[in-house]
Amino acid sequence: MQRSASRLPRILACAAVPVMLVVAGCSSDSGSSGDSGKKGTQDKTNASASATPTPSPTPTVEPAKFAKLPEVCKAISAKTTASLVPKAKTKKGTPAASSDLASRGGCSWNGLDDNGVDGSQYRWLDVSFYRYASDVSLGSGEERAQENLTKELAKVQETPGAKKLKTTTASGIGEEAKAVAYKLRKTDEDFVYASVVARTGNVLVLLSYNGAGYAGADAPSEKKIMDGAVKAAKEAVAAVAAANK
């Protein structure tokens, strides 16, 4: 009996060893699981940081070249208007109505030069300015002026009743310009027309010059009318740059 009693503690001690190993093993697994949890959290944090969107750059547009328009009725010299419209009703020109003179304006001259038995000569000259501001949603002032040059040119080319219409490039007038020559029958007379559509920077210049002979007088030549229109258009374009110095 004594031997059995002395052996009992040793048996119990040996029986306890596997239990300690299991506990140690679980404890080790538990530690590994904790590390994995920490690593997973770090991965999620890093992924979240890398997924943060980069702020988009603020949209920009090229600034408009010209900030204002010239005094329209003074954009063409008095000497030129007097030569193109000899008997103008209003020598200083008649300004067109405008609600925003900083963006658009116009002026016209017209008159009948009565030569008695030799008949009469009628002339009409008008000029309009359109200034386009730069806008992020609409584009730069220059781009907008280019777009509207195309539209305005199309309008002239589609003039109802126009005959012998011809479009040419007008050199030496702003960055780009087109000249349109045509004839039009009005009030039982043959009118000769010349229109110039020109762009300088962000400003569009529209100019029209026409004439007719009355009471038996001959109609003016196409060359004379076109030369007059080109001369006036060059002065109008130059006036834009002068107004912004």
Side-chain angles (χ1 to χ4, degrees):
M1 293 292 295
Q2 292 181 347
R3 287 184 180 178
S4 299
S6 62
R7 292 175 58 189
L8 182 60
R10 289 198 299 269
I11 293 172
L12 292 176
C14 291
V17 172
V19 176
M20 292 176 65
L21 291 176
V22 171
V23 173
C26 291
S27 177
S28 175
D29 289 343
S30 175
S32 299
S33 177
D35 290 343
S36 298
K38 290 180 180 178
K39 183 177 180 181
T41 302
Q42 291 174 349
D43 289 343
K44 289 180 180 179
T45 302
N46 293 337
S48 177
S50 62
T52 302
T54 303
S56 300
T58 303
T60 59
V61 65
E62 182 182 356
K65 182 178 181 179
F66 298 119
K68 59 182 180 179
L69 295 176
E71 292 185 55
V72 186
C73 289
K74 294 182 179 180
I76 301 173
S77 69
K79 181 179 180 180
T80 297
T81 57
S83 66
L84 298 182
V85 188
K87 299 292 182 179
K89 294 178 181 178
T90 305
K91 292 184 178 181
K92 293 184 179 181
T94 302
S98 174
S99 59
D100 184 5
L101 290 174
S103 298
R104 54 188 176 274
C107 193
S108 62
W109 298 258
N110 70 90
L112 184 67
D113 185 7
D114 190 350
N115 298 305
V117 295
D118 293 327
S120 303
Q121 289 290 330
Y122 176 79
R123 296 290 185 274
W124 173 286
L125 170 69
D126 68 75
V127 62
S128 298
F129 293 87
Y130 295 89
R131 185 183 67 82
Y132 300 92
S134 293
D135 186 284
V136 173
S137 61
L138 299 176
S140 69
E142 183 172 324
E143 291 172 335
R144 296 177 65 195
Q146 286 178 323
E147 292 175 0
N148 283 281
L149 182 149
T150 301
K151 293 177 182 178
E152 294 299 331
L153 177 61
K155 289 180 183 179
V156 176
Q157 294 172 325
E158 295 168 3
T159 300
K163 299 178 180 179
K164 298 183 178 180
L165 190 147
K166 181 180 180 181
T167 302
T168 58
T169 297
S171 59
I173 307 178
E175 275 86 352
E176 55 183 318
K178 295 291 184 180
V180 183
Y182 60 94
K183 291 184 177 181
L184 196 62
R185 183 76 176 177
K186 296 193 308 180
T187 62
D188 294 327
E189 302 294 344
D190 291 318
F191 280 72
V192 180
Y193 277 78
S195 293
V196 178
V197 182
R199 180 185 67 81
T200 175
N202 58 306
V203 175
L204 190 63
V205 179
L206 309 179
L207 186 137
S208 180
Y209 181 47
N210 65 79
Y214 281 89
D218 293 332
S221 69
E222 294 179 24
K223 183 179 185 307
K224 184 176 182 178
I225 293 298
M226 181 57 76
D227 287 348
V230 169
K231 177 179 175 59
K234 286 182 178 180
E235 290 187 16
V237 167
V240 176
N244 285 271
K245 286 184 178 180

